[in-house]
Amino acid sequence: MTNPELAWAFLQQLVVILLAAQLFGYLAKFIGQPRVVGEMIAGVVLGPSLLGLFWPQLQQSIFVADTMPMLYTGAQIGVGLYMFLVGLEFNTFLFRQQARSAIGVSLAGMIVPFIVGALLCLWLLGQPGLFAADISFANAALFMGAAIAITAFPMLARIIYERKLAGTALGTLALAAGAIDDAAAWVVLAVVLASFGGGAVLAIKAVIGGLIYAAFMLTKARGWLQPLADKADKTGVLTQPVFLLVLLLWALSAYAMEWVGLHAVFGGFLLGIAMPRGKMSEIVSARLSKITVFLLLPMFFTYSGLKTQLDVLGSWQVFSTALIILAASVFAKGVACWAAARIGGADNRTAMAVGALMNSRGLMELIIINIALSYGVIQQGLFSIMVLMAIVTTLMATPLFQLVYGRHMAKTAPAAAAQDINPTALKAG
């Protein structure tokens, strides 16, 4: 295809992607679900699982192969910026304040999924089309544990903010436990990516390089950025050169993590955490959130959907595998967090709400499995199964939370308890 033809084809699919994301996002909100659920489903609908199944010629004419690198680039920029926004919204004060009280829930939310993941891999490694042929049991078990343990932290934070639970025992417990769980899951994924097919030297380089860079970002970089943040707090504005500097730092952070052998999303997330809180971070978040959430993330959902082939579930063997993974994931995460909260002294209603919130995986799951697929850790069959698991557990979260805690919460949660958690960048869930 010529360059003008490529541009036309890409703009055509961009129109389709945006319309589908808005339509399914609206339908999701209409039935009481977060927009992210609809956008995730829209990506699957546009792929071979639905549009390609019933109208293959139409699907192939819209998503032509030559434009896939362009779509992939937009998707990676979108998910990188999104993780940066997640880092900006990461409440470090709340994390430090509640880390000790949430340690039991977070440990249960990590240990049990990793045990269940290891047990599943004893069986899954013998199934064709799931893991890479040369993957070790340790790497497979670590990946499954991380994929089961991950929590849709941005979606969790948004639910807690919207329900005015940020200052309650439930809200602080769930947020701190979710933050610890996700941090551990990302660290484990980094180890898997670094060691898979790369040998011990590359793994050590990735782990040590990542630790050094994280320490640098959370100390030196934060200190260097603080004067700019102080100036923004005084003037109430963020100049274009400072905003450009932030974007440059984001690109450099993403590149640094790729260079040491980790994924670019880690760089964006670390920069977001390192950014001083205040007017500067609020303005950066406001400027980036809309284009990230409404334009770039739908490209990521669609790119994921184009690689999702739910027709593989037509085989009873694969479908039963999907059901077992789904049931094991829900049990390992939800029940473990509920039990830990109960042991920690929470009443049954609060413990059930914690289990419901922590069991949602959302976009964070899609990011993990897309990275694993691109690195060759998993194959198409397991990717499709995990997409289904991400959608189902995300669909479950809001109605289950509403069922076990919603009405009680409406009567008891004080509106004044809501803390300063900006929901703008969390709309993607």
Side-chain angles (χ1 to χ4, degrees):
M1 297 180 70
T2 64
N3 287 338
E5 289 172 338
L6 278 174
W8 170 252
F10 180 70
L11 290 174
Q12 174 184 257
Q13 58 185 236
L14 195 58
V15 170
V16 173
I17 290 170
L18 294 177
L19 289 176
Q22 291 301 308
L23 173 62
F24 282 87
Y26 172 79
L27 292 175
K29 290 195 70 175
F30 182 75
I31 62 174
Q33 290 283 351
R35 284 185 60 90
V36 64
V37 175
E39 292 170 357
M40 290 167 62
I41 293 174
V44 174
V45 167
L46 293 176
S49 298
L50 189 64
L51 185 61
L53 181 64
F54 293 101
W55 299 281
Q57 293 183 341
L58 175 62
Q59 200 263 349
Q60 292 171 12
S61 68
I62 296 173
F63 298 101
V64 294
D66 289 346
T67 62
M68 288 303 101
M70 302 168 68
L71 185 61
Y72 173 81
T73 301
Q76 294 308 302
I77 293 174
V79 77
L81 285 174
Y82 178 74
M83 289 303 294
F84 170 58
L85 294 173
V86 171
L88 281 177
E89 299 298 333
F90 192 88
N91 194 320
T92 54
F93 173 76
L94 180 66
F95 180 84
R96 292 192 300 268
Q97 186 184 47
Q98 296 296 326
R100 180 174 296 180
S101 61
I103 199 69
V105 173
S106 60
L107 280 176
M110 290 183 291
I111 293 173
V112 176
F114 276 96
I115 293 174
V116 171
L119 293 175
L120 282 173
C121 285
L122 291 172
W123 167 59
L124 293 176
L125 284 173
Q127 306 296 315
L130 299 182
F131 284 102
D134 58 342
I135 195 171
S136 66
F137 171 78
N139 275 337
L142 286 173
F143 166 77
M144 283 302 297
I148 294 174
I150 200 75
T151 296
F153 180 78
M155 178 179 170
L156 183 153
R158 184 166 64 86
I159 291 175
I160 288 172
Y161 175 86
E162 290 179 348
R163 303 301 194 277
K164 295 182 171 55
L165 287 171
T168 65
L170 168 62
T172 52
L173 175 63
L175 282 172
I180 296 171
D181 276 10
D182 277 11
W186 282 110
V187 169
V188 170
L189 179 65
V191 172
V192 172
L193 296 181
S195 60
F196 179 72
V201 174
L202 291 181
I204 293 172
K205 174 191 172 186
V207 173
I208 294 178
L211 290 174
I212 292 174
Y213 189 75
F216 169 77
M217 292 299 294
L218 297 176
T219 55
K220 294 294 185 181
R222 174 175 288 176
W224 293 341
L225 289 169
Q226 191 62 55
L228 299 176
D230 293 339
K231 185 177 180 180
D233 287 337
K234 290 179 181 179
T235 61
V237 297
L238 186 70
T239 63
Q240 292 297 330
V242 174
F243 182 65
L244 178 61
L245 175 63
V246 172
L247 292 179
L248 178 62
L249 289 174
W250 170 79
L252 288 174
S253 296
Y255 175 78
M257 288 296 93
E258 286 283 356
W259 184 79
V260 300
L262 301 178
H263 196 274
V265 297
F266 295 104
F269 183 63
L270 282 173
L271 176 63
I273 294 177
M275 288 276 291
R277 299 305 186 257
K279 197 66 178 179
M280 183 171 76
S281 62
E282 291 175 7
I283 295 174
V284 169
S285 178
R287 288 183 182 178
L288 292 178
S289 60
K290 286 185 172 57
I291 190 171
T292 300
V293 170
F294 293 108
L295 175 63
L296 297 175
L297 274 184
M299 295 170 65
F300 173 77
F301 289 129
T302 302
Y303 189 81
S304 298
L306 292 173
K307 295 184 292 182
T308 303
Q309 298 175 353
L310 294 183
D311 56 337
V312 301
L313 301 178
S315 155
W316 169 248
Q317 180 180 359
V318 179
F319 183 69
S320 60
T321 300
L323 290 179
I324 291 171
I325 290 176
L326 176 61
S329 301
V330 171
F331 172 83
K333 188 72 174 178
V335 176
C337 291
W338 165 81
R342 287 289 287 155
I343 293 172
D347 61 86
N348 190 53
R349 189 192 304 273
T350 300
M352 291 175 67
V354 169
L357 291 171
M358 297 285 286
N359 207 24
S360 170
R361 290 166 179 86
L363 176 58
M364 305 300 279
E365 181 76 27
L366 291 186
I367 295 174
I368 277 187
I369 61 177
N370 268 275
I371 293 173
L373 184 66
S374 67
Y375 275 72
V377 176
I378 62 176
Q379 296 188 45
Q380 184 63 57
L382 185 56
F383 178 84
S384 298
I385 289 173
M386 300 305 280
V387 169
L388 180 66
M389 189 266 279
I391 292 174
V392 172
T393 56
T394 307
L395 278 168
M396 291 169 52
T398 300
L400 193 57
F401 174 78
Q402 191 67 25
L403 176 67
V404 301
Y405 199 82
R407 298 188 182 188
H408 169 76
M409 167 210 66
K411 297 177 181 178
T412 59
Q419 294 181 1
D420 187 20
I421 301 177
N422 180 3
T424 305
L426 303 177
K427 291 182 180 178

